[in-house]
Amino acid sequence: MSRLQSSINTASADFRRNEAHNRRLVAEFKAKQEAARHARPQRDLDRLARQQKMPQRKRIEILLDPGTPFLELSSLAANMAYGGESPSASSIVGIGMVSGREVMIRADDPTVKGGAWYPLTVKKIVRALDIAMENRLPVVHLCDSAGGFLQLQSELFPDRYMGGRIFRNQSMLSKMGVKQLALVFGHCTAGGAYIPGLSDYSVIVRGTGAVFLGGPPLVKAATGEDVTVEELGGAEMHTSVSGTCDYPADSEEHAIEIGRDIVSQWDRLPRWEAQREAPEEPFYDPAEIYGIVPDAIKKAFDMREIIARIVDGSRFHEYKPNYGTTLVCGFANIWGFKVGILANNGVLFNDSSIKGAHFIELCNQNNTPLVFLQNITGYMVGREYERRGITKDGAKMIMAQSCSRVPKFTVMCNGSFGAGNYGMCGRAFDGRFLFSWPNHQIGVMGGDQAANTLAEVKANQMKRNGGAVDKGEIDRLWDETRKAYQEQLSAYYSTSELWDDGIIDPLDTRNALGVAISASLNAPLGPPGYGVFRF
Amino acid sequence: MVLKLDLDGTVHHVTILARRPHLVLSVDGRRHVVEALDEAGDGSRRLTVDGAPVSFARAGSADGAIIRLDGRSFALRRRDAAEASAAGGGANVVRAPMPGTVIVVHKRVGDSVQRGETIVTIESMKLQMKLDAPRDGEIAEIAAREGEGFDKDAVLARLVATAEG
């Protein structure tokens, strides 16, 4: 594989303008992330200290093997929901190493409304367990939750992917032989009680840990019985009488110590043998990505320049370089793992779609994981392209991509508009992981396009009703529509709604993909096979 | 087999005609006889090329080498077949890759341009793209007008070769 030749001029005015723009975006992202992780009202922190509880992130730090990376997922979930009341959707989720095993860690956040689950908390937990199932990752639950946020119960309880799905997924994981451990630091009330109940192993902290379907106030209301927390669901009772939990612990540190020892007993399931070489840092400086990604979503850039700053040694074997040039396809290594990359260098045409479908088939036959680098405004429209069958060629790409058996990973590097999102493994296509850059925008169309369309519809309506076109009214509608669209197009809205597994600093792309690819190797590859391609 | 070697951006075609008793090369069609002499011991190497002595130093990497000769450094790189196939020819016209609108015309008739310099910026499907000069030359015609639309394959600009000297 030969090294990509960069043609970036780091002294150019364009580069410097882009760099200033993107560094500002990343600084903004890091400030939001820092606030979501650590900024809490003082009274909540004081209460935690009074209860002799560690902050949630401290628990995770002690649980992890020293010096190993932790890939936090969806750190800005719910950042645009509930008036910002639920930082990280009141739940910390990520992949890390515990006793030498890759595990999914899922932790409630007791500093926010007693760890209550908001609708997006439930969505985040379900997603974490989906990831665990798809990648056969054992799960460690750090439990400290008051239960569902009752004011919003209709959005978190009844539907297929709501509360019940957590417990269904826990059951499926156990059936698949993927282990789960619950460390009970605080209350596990109502539905939350089933988390330790459905885990293969559970540890509970004396004094602060408690598990029950209904707490003392609910029992009093229901039956008139007076009962203390300890009697009803404390560590002594559950580990010596009910058997709901397995091991009592004297402190949070002790619970984590027991937990690490439990994990070290677990067998290691075989991983599939992906092609691997010795890892090598990229030849080109990844920090130059800031100067390459343009300062406006409309401006095109060469995705090979990004590939050169993510892959090992900046080496890339480009497949079919002169055909369907708006989709760059080729092989590279990331942290030593062989991958097939599909990256957008413009609109998808007939030839680029067919090339993409063909390349996806090659990777499936070669057991090579797929990495999609999205910057896509859609499949080409117009008479000529429809006559050539742009719809059926796009369908081939979607078919090949949907039916892939190799793990798929998606990075939203810039725009993701229209059906291009589908062909390039958008959220609906079960990629193992999907990360976004802070500059990312996503929507069925752009803000200007939506505003123009709606303004035109409104003007026609005014004419039809016999009145004159009210220019002020039309302008107001245009502004409002564009503003609403811009807000919903942003990466922050996307990550708030869990349409991705988190925003990342572009410089962390290589590391995030490395952890993700490694995690994906725990699950065996399914059988090959596709549906009917329309030729 | 013809080796394609990129020396500071210029591609040379090298064929090995004989290895013994001396190395005989064809470089861009010219025949040269190369004799290797002992290493000088100070890291530099000595050869004779067509009988004339040459002394140089090289630092190698997987992709090529840096050669230090007569007080200058030269970057030498081997071009592989896949890369060469993507390098493209030297067309004289800039054509629209798809229907769209002209956003900016960067050059005027008579301007001299180098390969890779942007001639027009177009917009299509919400994406702004730069159309670059396919070769070194001079702008002979600009058909693109800012704000105007065009069809696929429309000629937006033409180049002519710059006169030598």
Side-chain angles (χ1 to χ4, degrees):
Chain A
M1 271 192 297
S2 63
R3 178 167 292 156
L4 284 163
Q5 291 299 304
S6 178
S7 57
I8 291 298
N9 175 3
T10 55
S12 71
D14 274 355
F15 185 95
R16 291 193 178 166
R17 199 178 48 245
N18 295 340
E19 187 179 29
H21 175 77
N22 286 308
R23 283 193 187 277
R24 188 176 56 72
L25 291 188
V26 168
E28 200 178 278
F29 156 63
K30 292 206 165 157
K32 281 179 196 268
Q33 194 177 45
E34 177 66 20
R37 284 175 173 169
H38 301 293
R40 298 288 183 276
Q42 192 56 43
R43 65 185 159 81
D44 291 327
L45 297 175
D46 291 346
R47 192 183 58 238
L48 207 67
R50 263 201 319 277
Q51 294 171 338
Q52 300 198 319
K53 284 182 179 176
M54 281 190 268
Q56 198 54 267
R57 286 179 186 273
K58 186 78 185 162
R59 292 172 180 161
I60 293 176
E61 193 184 311
I62 298 176
L63 175 66
L64 291 169
D65 291 350
T68 57
F70 177 63
L71 176 63
E72 184 176 352
L73 303 176
S74 298
S75 59
L76 291 179
N79 80 91
M80 287 173 75
Y82 323 123
E85 274 190 350
S86 175
S88 301
S90 310
S91 177
I92 305 165
V93 162
I95 294 170
M97 297 290 284
V98 174
S99 301
R101 284 140 183 93
E102 274 172 353
V103 299
M104 169 61 75
I105 294 171
R106 187 210 66 76
D108 300 315
D109 186 348
T111 59
V112 183
K113 296 257 191 301
W117 291 351
Y118 286 73
L120 286 169
T121 315
V122 172
K123 193 173 182 184
K124 189 168 174 179
I125 298 173
V126 170
R127 171 65 188 153
L129 298 180
D130 279 344
I131 291 173
M133 284 197 287
E134 286 166 7
N135 300 285
R136 304 271 167 107
L137 286 176
V139 184
V140 180
H141 300 272
L142 279 60
C143 307
D144 199 341
S145 166
F149 188 69
L150 295 178
Q151 291 88 324
L152 298 172
Q153 70 86 21
S154 70
E155 293 171 47
L156 63 83
F157 172 65
D159 204 1
R160 184 171 177 197
Y161 291 104
M162 293 182 181
R165 195 75 181 183
I166 297 173
F167 312 115
R168 178 264 183 194
N169 280 0
Q170 279 196 281
S171 308
M172 291 300 127
L173 277 165
S174 191
K175 180 179 167 186
M176 291 162 74
V178 181
K179 278 81 168 173
Q180 291 176 81
L181 162 68
L183 302 177
V184 181
F185 295 111
H187 288 194
C188 293
T189 317
Y194 291 112
I195 294 231
L198 288 164
S199 291
D200 304 305
Y201 300 84
S202 62
V203 183
I204 181 167
V205 179
R206 285 195 175 95
T208 48
V211 177
F212 31 56
L213 289 186
L218 194 138
V219 171
K220 175 76 178 167
T223 66
E225 190 184 6
D226 276 309
V227 61
T228 66
V229 167
E230 271 303 303
E231 287 174 298
L232 191 62
E236 286 312 324
M237 196 285 284
H238 277 316
T239 54
S240 63
V241 179
S242 77
T244 304
C245 296
D246 306 318
Y247 307 82
D250 294 331
S251 65
E252 297 201 355
E253 287 90 341
H254 187 207
I256 291 170
E257 202 179 308
I258 297 170
R260 285 183 51 83
D261 207 31
I262 291 168
V263 174
S264 71
Q265 312 306 316
W266 292 351
D267 57 355
R268 294 166 206 254
L269 300 172
R271 289 155 65 93
W272 64 273
E273 286 290 322
Q275 273 193 79
R276 202 168 177 198
E277 287 161 40
E280 186 188 353
E281 288 294 309
F283 175 78
Y284 295 103
D285 183 359
E288 289 166 2
I289 290 175
Y290 294 144
I292 295 165
V293 178
D295 60 350
I297 194 95
K298 269 187 175 186
K299 294 185 186 170
F301 60 98
D302 186 354
M303 201 63 103
R304 288 183 200 85
E305 298 286 0
I306 304 298
I307 294 171
R309 286 155 181 87
I310 292 177
V311 305
D312 288 12
S314 306
R315 290 172 209 285
F316 186 58
H317 171 102
E318 187 167 349
Y319 167 72
K320 240 174 179 162
N322 284 354
Y323 186 87
T325 52
T326 56
L327 184 67
V328 176
C329 299
F331 297 102
N333 292 53
I334 296 177
W335 276 104
F337 298 110
K338 176 75 65 201
V339 292
I341 297 176
L342 292 93
N344 302 117
N345 255 12
V347 178
L348 287 161
F349 291 98
N350 301 74
D351 52 0
S352 20
S353 307
I354 292 169
K355 170 177 157 184
H358 194 121
F359 184 68
I360 290 167
E361 289 188 274
L362 293 176
C363 289
N364 274 279
Q365 197 185 45
N366 201 47
N367 299 332
T368 304
L370 290 164
V371 173
F372 295 84
L373 302 178
Q374 282 208 17
N375 178 23
I376 182 64
T377 58
Y379 288 92
M380 190 65 198
V381 298
R383 185 174 52 191
E384 180 183 341
Y385 305 98
E386 296 292 355
R387 286 178 65 87
R388 278 200 234 157
I390 186 70
T391 306
K392 70 174 188 175
D393 288 341
K396 290 186 186 86
M397 186 172 164
I398 294 173
M399 175 74 77
Q401 189 270 100
S402 298
C403 298
S404 283
R405 69 197 189 106
V406 294
K408 300 178 287 190
F409 308 89
T410 306
V411 182
M412 298 293 191
C413 299
N414 204 40
S416 178
F417 295 101
N421 168 277
Y422 306 153
M424 291 294 292
C425 195
R427 189 57 154 177
F429 293 85
D430 289 346
R432 298 291 181 92
F433 294 89
L434 188 155
F435 302 109
S436 308
W437 289 358
N439 52 300
H440 163 57
Q441 291 187 12
I442 184 168
V444 72
M445 60 173 90
D448 288 357
Q449 287 80 16
N452 288 340
T453 309
L454 284 176
E456 198 172 317
V457 169
K458 185 77 182 171
N460 287 339
Q461 201 178 47
M462 287 170 171
K463 281 183 210 156
R464 253 203 326 277
N465 293 345
V469 175
D470 181 345
K471 186 78 172 52
E473 170 78 12
I474 295 285
D475 286 351
R476 200 181 49 72
L477 179 73
W478 195 94
D479 287 341
E480 271 179 12
T481 309
R482 189 171 181 283
K483 190 167 172 292
Y485 250 78
Q486 284 312 108
E487 190 179 282
Q488 295 202 348
L489 287 174
S490 85
Y492 292 106
Y493 189 81
S494 187
T495 207
S496 184
E497 294 292 313
L498 284 142
W499 298 342
D500 62 20
D501 295 309
I503 297 180
I504 55 172
D505 179 346
L507 304 200
D508 292 333
T509 306
R510 174 179 163 77
N511 286 343
L513 286 174
V515 173
I517 295 167
S518 174
S520 76
L521 305 182
N522 291 297
L525 292 184
Y530 299 95
V532 177
F533 286 97
R534 181 173 292 277
F535 286 101
Chain B
M1 174 191 165
V2 182
L3 292 171
K4 287 181 185 164
L5 297 178
D6 180 323
L7 185 67
D8 281 351
T10 313
V11 178
H12 298 279
H13 295 245
V14 179
T15 314
I16 297 173
L17 301 175
R19 289 177 192 275
R20 289 194 182 81
H22 304 302
L23 186 63
V24 183
L25 299 175
S26 160
V27 180
D28 298 333
R30 284 197 184 167
R31 188 171 171 279
H32 299 284
V33 179
V34 180
E35 277 184 87
L37 299 177
D38 295 338
E39 304 237 336
D42 57 357
S44 66
R45 300 179 183 205
R46 291 187 297 154
L47 303 172
T48 63
V49 178
D50 301 330
V54 177
S55 171
F56 69 99
R58 79 183 278 278
S61 66
D63 293 320
I66 304 288
I67 309 285
R68 184 86 184 157
L69 174 71
D70 289 343
R72 276 187 61 198
S73 293
F74 300 88
L76 187 70
R77 206 166 63 80
R78 186 168 163 183
R79 300 262 289 228
D80 71 16
E83 191 184 346
S85 77
N92 272 322
V93 289
V94 176
R95 281 184 198 276
M98 59 175 92
T101 311
V102 178
I103 303 295
V104 189
V105 177
H106 300 272
K107 299 287 174 189
R108 286 191 296 191
V109 172
D111 286 354
S112 67
V113 291
Q114 289 189 324
R115 183 180 161 184
E117 263 189 89
T118 302
I119 298 177
V120 287
T121 299
I122 62 164
E123 183 171 326
S124 177
M125 299 283 291
K126 305 190 286 285
L127 196 65
Q128 291 184 359
M129 287 154 276
K130 291 171 174 174
L131 300 184
D132 300 338
R135 51 171 290 173
D136 295 358
E138 197 173 279
I139 305 280
E141 183 195 344
I142 295 270
R145 299 279 172 275
E146 287 180 12
E148 285 185 6
F150 50 80
D151 287 331
K152 180 175 185 291
D153 291 331
V155 174
L156 300 178
R158 282 181 203 280
L159 299 174
V160 286
T162 315
E164 286 292 324

